[in-house]
Amino acid sequence: MRIAVIAPPYPLEEGPAPPLGICYVAAAFEKTGAEVRIFDFVVSGYSRKKLAALMEDFSPDAVGITSVTLNFHQAAAIISDAKEISPGAVTMMGGPHVTFTAEETLASYPALDLLVLGEGEETIAELMPVLGEKSAWKNVRGIMFRENGSLTATGPRPLIADLDTLPLPARRLLPINRYRAMGYPVSITTSRGCPHQCIFCQGRRLVGAKMRFRSVPAVADEIEEILSLGFTRINVADDLFTARKERVLSFCETVRSRGLNFSWGAFSRVNTLDLETAKAMAGAGCDCVSFGLETGNQEMLDRIKKAATLEQARVAVDICKQAGLLVHGSLIAGLPGETPRTLAESKEFAESLNISHGWHKLAPFPGTTVMDRVADYDLEILTRDWSLYDANHAIVRTRAVSPEDIDEYVADYDRTCARLWKELEDKMADGTATPMERLRIEGTHRLPLIYAILSGDLIEKFGEGIEDSDPAGSLGILAGRISRETGADPDMTRRTLAFFAEKNMIRFASGNGFPSWQWAPVAPRAQSRSTQLLAAAG
């Protein structure tokens, strides 16, 4: 069978890594013997015309898509397009959002044939042999579908006990060099599950309270594969990487003994990290640890069931500093019971730690305790427009704090960041910026250009028809075209494209007398063909 797996658009400003869930799903389909392609619209602009070209070339028997709450509407629109383009293809959707809104989703989107709920890999293995026999779907656990005018749910599937039975994520099917161009880290997970009960998090319900761990050698194998694709930075995206000290130490020793050379960061909790572990992580290439601080008020921490204290946070930050690790803390504005005083305490607490930190606005996602039991809290959810559930919009209120208060509070933090950035810009202008500061400024200025190149498919659009067979000359022509299209600084555009060429992200081809620039292939022929069709569809 032919299976198309779609990565729907996701805001590039949010720093998307190569989509890990999509790659696990694609690998699970491949394991059943299917021919699989990923249609990636994260780092390529979406249009129905592109999708139609891809569908026509591949003729998939089924089309699957995933989504989080933020991009659910876009994903649903794309799968509706797919059904109209190929009515005979089975259409599927999975992911955290539809897992917790299954009935609503199927009732609202008739183009969807079925939903895969929760962990999908074993469900896919059981579903694929009967995918063309709808009468047998009722025997596959972990799905929901329409049957005789009503919805049929087949019941929850047990969580996967041995994660090492899963194939490595099929990142090779992605347009790898487009992701490399953004410069963001690649995410991996070394475990699934979270034993904690934070009321704003889906994790416990989605992947279980009992933690399941991949073997360290399997994780190291995946890292070697990632490095072979040209990436040099990894984000360990486990809910709680530091859950077991001995395992973290084993991971760090394996990284060193295999000679794996990469930088990385990880998520931790303030009550699960000691100095020995932190030093081992630093010795294995880790340079940053992220903590969910959430609030600087202990009563609030208790209310959201964080199971941590402010003092533990201070100790954990000090441990990281002793080990030479940078620390980033995240805080949430608009938690249940939030008041102007608790917001001020959070600001004071974060600043007292002297670390990098940032603010999110509470997004009570489906499946979280705070959404399911909102009546139990001092909280009102103001909208179910899922596109606003991005942690950048104030969509809740408490008795003491309005959405306007939340917006203004975070805006004040943003103004402080803008002022500090202006100081850096001034140093750049007067020649007093350090080399590291200059790199940071250049990189920040370059990102909007890179986003425009990716979302507008500008290499494809302007890389053809260059009447210059010299690579340097043709690159200059390409840079000029892109600079005029985007309004970006011509010199920065030229430097950006030269960097892409130097790192083999784009390549010059002069065969058949038609000089052109194009994204360099890294993936198998099937995916490369998809990339070509995306370009041809414009």
Side-chain angles (χ1 to χ4, degrees):
M1 298 190 77
R2 295 187 181 93
I3 308 295
V5 182
I6 298 177
Y10 193 88
L12 296 178
E13 294 78 9
E14 296 295 325
L20 185 57
I22 283 287
C23 293
Y24 266 113
V25 165
F29 279 120
E30 284 189 323
K31 190 176 180 180
T32 69
E35 181 183 352
V36 182
R37 294 190 193 179
I38 294 177
F39 300 166
D40 188 297
F41 298 112
V42 178
V43 287
S44 174
Y46 174 75
S47 72
R48 182 187 172 104
K49 181 181 178 181
K50 288 182 181 180
L51 181 62
L54 292 166
M55 297 277 285
E56 181 180 357
D57 178 73
F58 188 43
S59 298
D61 300 290
V63 182
I65 197 167
T66 187
S67 72
V68 293
T69 300
L70 164 61
N71 65 355
F72 166 72
H73 286 313
Q74 288 175 295
I78 291 171
I79 207 70
S80 296
D81 285 348
K83 194 65 170 179
E84 290 181 7
I85 293 165
S86 183
V90 176
T91 50
M92 301 176 276
M93 183 181 284
H97 181 84
V98 300
T99 294
F100 299 114
T101 62
E103 293 184 6
E104 171 189 319
T105 298
L106 279 179
S108 302
Y109 295 93
L112 269 169
D113 292 320
L114 69 89
L115 301 179
V116 176
L117 310 180
E119 286 185 328
E121 292 93 348
E122 291 188 347
T123 300
I124 287 169
E126 191 174 320
L127 175 65
M128 281 297 289
V130 297
L131 189 60
E133 305 170 31
K134 188 172 181 178
S135 61
W137 289 3
K138 62 181 178 294
N139 300 317
V140 179
R141 297 181 69 178
I143 65 174
M144 183 181 287
F145 59 96
R146 297 183 198 81
E147 187 176 36
N148 300 323
S150 61
L151 300 182
T152 296
T154 60
R157 175 177 294 278
L159 295 170
I160 299 167
D162 183 1
L163 298 181
D164 281 353
T165 62
L166 299 177
L168 293 182
R171 294 183 181 89
R172 67 190 183 284
L173 300 182
L174 293 169
I176 289 296
N177 280 321
R178 287 174 173 265
Y179 283 100
R180 289 181 62 211
M182 285 197 298
Y184 294 131
V186 178
S187 291
I188 65 170
T189 54
T190 77
S191 66
R192 293 182 183 179
C194 181
H196 298 283
Q197 303 180 49
C198 302
I199 65 172
F200 54 84
C201 182
Q202 295 171 324
R204 183 183 179 90
R205 286 187 63 191
L206 188 66
V207 291
K210 181 180 179 180
M211 294 198 69
R212 294 159 291 146
F213 298 93
R214 298 173 61 196
S215 69
V216 169
V219 175
D221 290 344
E222 182 179 354
I223 291 173
E224 288 184 345
E225 183 177 275
I226 290 170
L227 299 182
S228 74
L229 295 173
F231 296 99
T232 59
R233 182 165 184 83
I234 289 174
N235 172 47
V236 181
D238 297 26
D239 288 320
L240 183 50
F241 176 65
T242 53
R244 288 185 179 177
K245 176 179 177 176
E246 67 278 5
R247 184 170 178 274
V248 177
L249 296 179
S250 174
F251 171 81
C252 294
E253 174 56 32
T254 300
V255 167
R256 290 192 300 268
S257 64
R258 288 203 189 186
L260 301 179
N261 185 23
F262 66 103
S263 61
W264 55 285
F267 295 101
S268 182
R269 283 178 60 93
V270 297
N271 53 0
T272 62
L273 187 64
D274 62 20
L275 185 57
E276 181 185 7
T277 305
K279 287 183 175 180
M281 290 167 63
C286 181
D287 55 22
C288 181
V289 173
S290 296
F291 294 117
L293 301 176
E294 323 310 358
T295 175
N297 177 279
Q298 187 61 52
E299 182 182 348
M300 293 273 284
L301 281 176
D302 296 340
R303 183 178 302 127
I304 65 176
K305 297 187 177 181
K306 187 67 180 180
T309 67
L310 299 178
E311 181 56 29
Q312 287 172 332
R314 294 187 188 279
V315 171
V317 167
D318 183 62
I319 284 171
C320 289
K321 290 179 178 179
Q322 290 183 59
L325 296 171
L326 297 175
V327 182
H328 181 269
S330 62
L331 299 108
I332 302 175
L335 290 167
E338 192 84 87
T339 68
R341 178 180 63 82
T342 60
L343 286 170
E345 289 176 351
S346 294
K347 176 182 178 181
E348 179 182 355
F349 177 67
E351 292 177 348
S352 74
L353 296 176
N354 192 27
I355 60 172
S356 169
H357 64 277
W359 283 89
H360 300 289
K361 300 169 187 178
L362 179 65
F365 297 115
T368 61
T369 301
V370 72
M371 172 167 272
D372 291 348
R373 296 173 47 196
V374 65
D376 296 344
Y377 301 101
D378 172 20
L379 193 76
E380 180 185 357
I381 300 172
L382 303 175
T383 181
R384 285 176 69 90
D385 179 351
W386 302 126
S387 66
L388 299 179
Y389 281 59
D390 59 359
N392 295 319
H393 289 82
I395 55 175
V396 300
R397 69 164 70 246
T398 68
R399 283 192 297 265
V401 173
S402 70
E404 293 77 18
D405 294 331
I406 295 170
D407 281 336
E408 176 54 31
Y409 184 83
V410 177
D412 182 63
Y413 167 81
D414 291 339
R415 285 191 289 269
T416 298
C417 293
R419 176 180 55 79
L420 295 174
W421 182 254
K422 177 64 166 54
E423 293 174 1
L424 270 183
E425 295 271 18
D426 290 343
K427 291 177 68 176
M428 184 77 165
D430 65 24
T432 61
T434 67
M436 186 61 68
E437 288 171 337
R438 289 197 297 271
L439 283 174
R440 180 182 173 194
I441 292 169
E442 169 81 7
T444 301
H445 286 175
R446 182 186 292 179
L447 276 177
L449 170 62
I450 295 173
Y451 298 158
I453 290 172
L454 295 172
S455 61
D457 296 322
L458 299 187
I459 300 295
E460 295 86 347
K461 183 176 181 179
F462 296 117
E464 300 287 343
I466 298 178
E467 296 179 358
D468 191 332
S469 60
D470 173 63
S474 64
L475 190 67
I477 294 173
L478 176 61
R481 292 174 175 179
I482 291 177
S483 178
R484 287 189 293 274
E485 175 77 7
T486 62
D489 176 75
D491 289 338
M492 183 176 68
T493 305
R494 190 177 300 109
R495 290 194 303 272
T496 299
L497 295 179
F499 177 76
F500 289 176
E502 177 190 350
K503 297 300 182 182
N504 298 316
M505 299 176 198
I506 60 175
R507 68 176 184 180
F508 180 69
S510 57
N512 300 321
F514 297 102
S516 66
W517 281 95
Q518 54 195 235
W519 291 101
V522 172
R525 183 179 183 278
Q527 190 278 331
S528 296
R529 173 62 176 159
S530 298
T531 301
Q532 294 166 12
L533 285 164
L534 284 171

mmCIF file of all heavy atoms in Angstrom, residues 62-87:
data_model
loop_
_atom_site.group_PDB
_atom_site.id
_atom_site.type_symbol
_atom_site.label_atom_id
_atom_site.label_comp_id
_atom_site.label_asym_id
_atom_site.label_seq_id
_atom_site.Cartn_x
_atom_site.Cartn_y
_atom_site.Cartn_z
ATOM 1 N N ALA A 62 -3.985 5.740 1.306
ATOM 2 C CA ALA A 62 -4.443 6.403 2.532
ATOM 3 C C ALA A 62 -3.598 7.647 2.755
ATOM 4 O O ALA A 62 -2.429 7.707 2.361
ATOM 5 C CB ALA A 62 -4.353 5.466 3.729
ATOM 6 N N VAL A 63 -4.211 8.630 3.419
ATOM 7 C CA VAL A 63 -3.530 9.873 3.758
ATOM 8 C C VAL A 63 -3.723 10.107 5.251
ATOM 9 O O VAL A 63 -4.857 10.134 5.750
ATOM 10 C CB VAL A 63 -4.093 11.072 2.974
ATOM 11 C CG1 VAL A 63 -3.325 12.337 3.325
ATOM 12 C CG2 VAL A 63 -4.034 10.798 1.480
ATOM 13 N N GLY A 64 -2.603 10.264 5.967
ATOM 14 C CA GLY A 64 -2.657 10.536 7.393
ATOM 15 C C GLY A 64 -2.075 11.897 7.695
ATOM 16 O O GLY A 64 -1.174 12.381 7.005
ATOM 17 N N ILE A 65 -2.593 12.528 8.719
ATOM 18 C CA ILE A 65 -2.095 13.833 9.133
ATOM 19 C C ILE A 65 -2.157 13.896 10.650
ATOM 20 O O ILE A 65 -2.938 13.167 11.284
ATOM 21 C CB ILE A 65 -2.927 14.974 8.489
ATOM 22 C CG1 ILE A 65 -2.187 16.315 8.573
ATOM 23 C CG2 ILE A 65 -4.309 15.071 9.113
ATOM 24 C CD1 ILE A 65 -2.802 17.396 7.689
ATOM 25 N N THR A 66 -1.322 14.730 11.234
ATOM 26 C CA THR A 66 -1.347 14.919 12.674
ATOM 27 C C THR A 66 -1.565 16.392 12.960
ATOM 28 O O THR A 66 -1.517 17.231 12.048
ATOM 29 C CB THR A 66 -0.040 14.442 13.326
ATOM 30 O OG1 THR A 66 -0.165 14.491 14.750
ATOM 31 C CG2 THR A 66 1.126 15.337 12.923
ATOM 32 N N SER A 67 -1.814 16.712 14.204
ATOM 33 C CA SER A 67 -1.937 18.123 14.570
ATOM 34 C C SER A 67 -1.811 18.262 16.076
ATOM 35 O O SER A 67 -2.056 17.318 16.833
ATOM 36 C CB SER A 67 -3.281 18.701 14.120
ATOM 37 O OG SER A 67 -4.342 18.203 14.922
ATOM 38 N N VAL A 68 -1.401 19.450 16.470
ATOM 39 C CA VAL A 68 -1.579 19.886 17.845
ATOM 40 C C VAL A 68 -2.722 20.896 17.823
ATOM 41 O O VAL A 68 -3.240 21.253 16.769
ATOM 42 C CB VAL A 68 -0.292 20.503 18.420
ATOM 43 C CG1 VAL A 68 0.785 19.442 18.557
ATOM 44 C CG2 VAL A 68 0.211 21.659 17.551
ATOM 45 N N THR A 69 -3.126 21.377 18.963
ATOM 46 C CA THR A 69 -4.281 22.267 19.016
ATOM 47 C C THR A 69 -4.065 23.507 18.160
ATOM 48 O O THR A 69 -4.973 23.949 17.432
ATOM 49 C CB THR A 69 -4.572 22.654 20.474
ATOM 50 O OG1 THR A 69 -4.851 21.458 21.218
ATOM 51 C CG2 THR A 69 -5.773 23.577 20.573
ATOM 52 N N LEU A 70 -2.874 24.061 18.207
ATOM 53 C CA LEU A 70 -2.564 25.290 17.488
ATOM 54 C C LEU A 70 -2.826 25.189 15.985
ATOM 55 O O LEU A 70 -3.367 26.122 15.381
ATOM 56 C CB LEU A 70 -1.095 25.662 17.746
ATOM 57 C CG LEU A 70 -0.439 26.685 16.834
ATOM 58 C CD1 LEU A 70 -1.162 28.025 16.929
ATOM 59 C CD2 LEU A 70 1.034 26.845 17.185
ATOM 60 N N ASN A 71 -2.450 24.074 15.366
ATOM 61 C CA ASN A 71 -2.603 23.988 13.908
ATOM 62 C C ASN A 71 -3.675 22.981 13.481
ATOM 63 O O ASN A 71 -3.692 22.528 12.339
ATOM 64 C CB ASN A 71 -1.265 23.652 13.235
ATOM 65 C CG ASN A 71 -0.729 22.272 13.591
ATOM 66 O OD1 ASN A 71 -1.293 21.571 14.419
ATOM 67 N ND2 ASN A 71 0.361 21.898 12.962
ATOM 68 N N PHE A 72 -4.590 22.682 14.401
ATOM 69 C CA PHE A 72 -5.634 21.703 14.086
ATOM 70 C C PHE A 72 -6.492 22.146 12.907
ATOM 71 O O PHE A 72 -6.795 21.355 12.002
ATOM 72 C CB PHE A 72 -6.517 21.452 15.309
ATOM 73 C CG PHE A 72 -7.785 20.722 14.983
ATOM 74 C CD1 PHE A 72 -7.753 19.378 14.645
ATOM 75 C CD2 PHE A 72 -9.012 21.387 14.958
ATOM 76 C CE1 PHE A 72 -8.917 18.696 14.311
ATOM 77 C CE2 PHE A 72 -10.177 20.712 14.633
ATOM 78 C CZ PHE A 72 -10.132 19.370 14.309
ATOM 79 N N HIS A 73 -6.940 23.412 12.887
ATOM 80 C CA HIS A 73 -7.816 23.861 11.809
ATOM 81 C C HIS A 73 -7.136 23.735 10.452
ATOM 82 O O HIS A 73 -7.761 23.327 9.461
ATOM 83 C CB HIS A 73 -8.245 25.309 12.046
ATOM 84 C CG HIS A 73 -9.259 25.471 13.140
ATOM 85 N ND1 HIS A 73 -10.377 24.678 13.235
ATOM 86 C CD2 HIS A 73 -9.324 26.337 14.186
ATOM 87 C CE1 HIS A 73 -11.080 25.036 14.289
ATOM 88 N NE2 HIS A 73 -10.467 26.045 14.882
ATOM 89 N N GLN A 74 -5.837 24.071 10.385
ATOM 90 C CA GLN A 74 -5.117 23.932 9.121
ATOM 91 C C GLN A 74 -5.016 22.471 8.716
ATOM 92 O O GLN A 74 -5.197 22.124 7.548
ATOM 93 C CB GLN A 74 -3.716 24.534 9.255
ATOM 94 C CG GLN A 74 -3.693 26.052 9.335
ATOM 95 C CD GLN A 74 -2.295 26.563 9.582
ATOM 96 O OE1 GLN A 74 -1.693 26.308 10.628
ATOM 97 N NE2 GLN A 74 -1.757 27.282 8.607
ATOM 98 N N ALA A 75 -4.719 21.606 9.684
ATOM 99 C CA ALA A 75 -4.611 20.181 9.380
ATOM 100 C C ALA A 75 -5.941 19.631 8.879
ATOM 101 O O ALA A 75 -5.989 18.844 7.920
ATOM 102 C CB ALA A 75 -4.142 19.424 10.617
ATOM 103 N N ALA A 76 -7.032 20.040 9.516
ATOM 104 C CA ALA A 76 -8.349 19.557 9.099
ATOM 105 C C ALA A 76 -8.692 20.045 7.696
ATOM 106 O O ALA A 76 -9.287 19.306 6.892
ATOM 107 C CB ALA A 76 -9.409 20.012 10.102
ATOM 108 N N ALA A 77 -8.318 21.283 7.375
ATOM 109 C CA ALA A 77 -8.576 21.813 6.030
ATOM 110 C C ALA A 77 -7.769 21.049 4.987
ATOM 111 O O ALA A 77 -8.265 20.766 3.883
ATOM 112 C CB ALA A 77 -8.245 23.303 5.985
ATOM 113 N N ILE A 78 -6.532 20.699 5.310
ATOM 114 C CA ILE A 78 -5.687 19.970 4.361
ATOM 115 C C ILE A 78 -6.229 18.568 4.118
ATOM 116 O O ILE A 78 -6.269 18.086 2.977
ATOM 117 C CB ILE A 78 -4.237 19.925 4.864
ATOM 118 C CG1 ILE A 78 -3.612 21.331 4.809
ATOM 119 C CG2 ILE A 78 -3.393 18.951 4.043
ATOM 120 C CD1 ILE A 78 -2.253 21.428 5.474
ATOM 121 N N ILE A 79 -6.652 17.893 5.166
ATOM 122 C CA ILE A 79 -7.171 16.538 4.974
ATOM 123 C C ILE A 79 -8.493 16.581 4.198
ATOM 124 O O ILE A 79 -8.822 15.659 3.435
ATOM 125 C CB ILE A 79 -7.333 15.791 6.320
ATOM 126 C CG1 ILE A 79 -7.219 14.268 6.116
ATOM 127 C CG2 ILE A 79 -8.608 16.141 7.019
ATOM 128 C CD1 ILE A 79 -5.844 13.789 5.777
ATOM 129 N N SER A 80 -9.250 17.673 4.349
ATOM 130 C CA SER A 80 -10.460 17.841 3.547
ATOM 131 C C SER A 80 -10.100 18.023 2.077
ATOM 132 O O SER A 80 -10.763 17.455 1.185
ATOM 133 C CB SER A 80 -11.270 19.039 4.049
ATOM 134 O OG SER A 80 -11.737 18.817 5.377
ATOM 135 N N ASP A 81 -9.045 18.802 1.819
ATOM 136 C CA ASP A 81 -8.565 18.938 0.437
ATOM 137 C C ASP A 81 -8.153 17.579 -0.126
ATOM 138 O O ASP A 81 -8.457 17.246 -1.273
ATOM 139 C CB ASP A 81 -7.367 19.889 0.381
ATOM 140 C CG ASP A 81 -7.761 21.346 0.521
ATOM 141 O OD1 ASP A 81 -8.964 21.656 0.439
ATOM 142 O OD2 ASP A 81 -6.861 22.185 0.720
ATOM 143 N N ALA A 82 -7.439 16.802 0.695
ATOM 144 C CA ALA A 82 -6.969 15.493 0.232
ATOM 145 C C ALA A 82 -8.144 14.585 -0.141
ATOM 146 O O ALA A 82 -8.093 13.856 -1.138
ATOM 147 C CB ALA A 82 -6.112 14.838 1.311
ATOM 148 N N LYS A 83 -9.211 14.644 0.652
ATOM 149 C CA LYS A 83 -10.373 13.791 0.374
ATOM 150 C C LYS A 83 -11.051 14.222 -0.921
ATOM 151 O O LYS A 83 -11.516 13.370 -1.709
ATOM 152 C CB LYS A 83 -11.366 13.881 1.534
ATOM 153 C CG LYS A 83 -12.435 12.798 1.498
ATOM 154 C CD LYS A 83 -11.816 11.410 1.704
ATOM 155 C CE LYS A 83 -12.845 10.350 1.925
ATOM 156 N NZ LYS A 83 -12.242 9.016 2.101
ATOM 157 N N GLU A 84 -11.114 15.518 -1.162
ATOM 158 C CA GLU A 84 -11.724 15.990 -2.404
ATOM 159 C C GLU A 84 -10.871 15.625 -3.614
ATOM 160 O O GLU A 84 -11.399 15.286 -4.683
ATOM 161 C CB GLU A 84 -11.910 17.508 -2.337
ATOM 162 C CG GLU A 84 -12.985 17.951 -1.361
ATOM 163 C CD GLU A 84 -13.161 19.458 -1.347
ATOM 164 O OE1 GLU A 84 -12.531 20.138 -2.197
ATOM 165 O OE2 GLU A 84 -13.907 19.959 -0.496
ATOM 166 N N ILE A 85 -9.548 15.685 -3.441
ATOM 167 C CA ILE A 85 -8.639 15.353 -4.544
ATOM 168 C C ILE A 85 -8.680 13.866 -4.858
ATOM 169 O O ILE A 85 -8.670 13.447 -6.017
ATOM 170 C CB ILE A 85 -7.209 15.798 -4.199
ATOM 171 C CG1 ILE A 85 -7.120 17.333 -4.130
ATOM 172 C CG2 ILE A 85 -6.200 15.258 -5.207
ATOM 173 C CD1 ILE A 85 -5.853 17.844 -3.462
ATOM 174 N N SER A 86 -8.736 13.043 -3.787
ATOM 175 C CA SER A 86 -8.721 11.587 -3.969
ATOM 176 C C SER A 86 -9.785 10.955 -3.083
ATOM 177 O O SER A 86 -9.480 10.464 -1.976
ATOM 178 C CB SER A 86 -7.332 11.040 -3.625
ATOM 179 O OG SER A 86 -7.262 9.651 -3.860
ATOM 180 N N PRO A 87 -11.040 10.962 -3.506
ATOM 181 C CA PRO A 87 -12.138 10.477 -2.658
ATOM 182 C C PRO A 87 -11.976 9.034 -2.197
ATOM 183 O O PRO A 87 -12.496 8.648 -1.142
ATOM 184 C CB PRO A 87 -13.366 10.628 -3.561
ATOM 185 C CG PRO A 87 -12.986 11.667 -4.563
ATOM 186 C CD PRO A 87 -11.523 11.458 -4.809
#
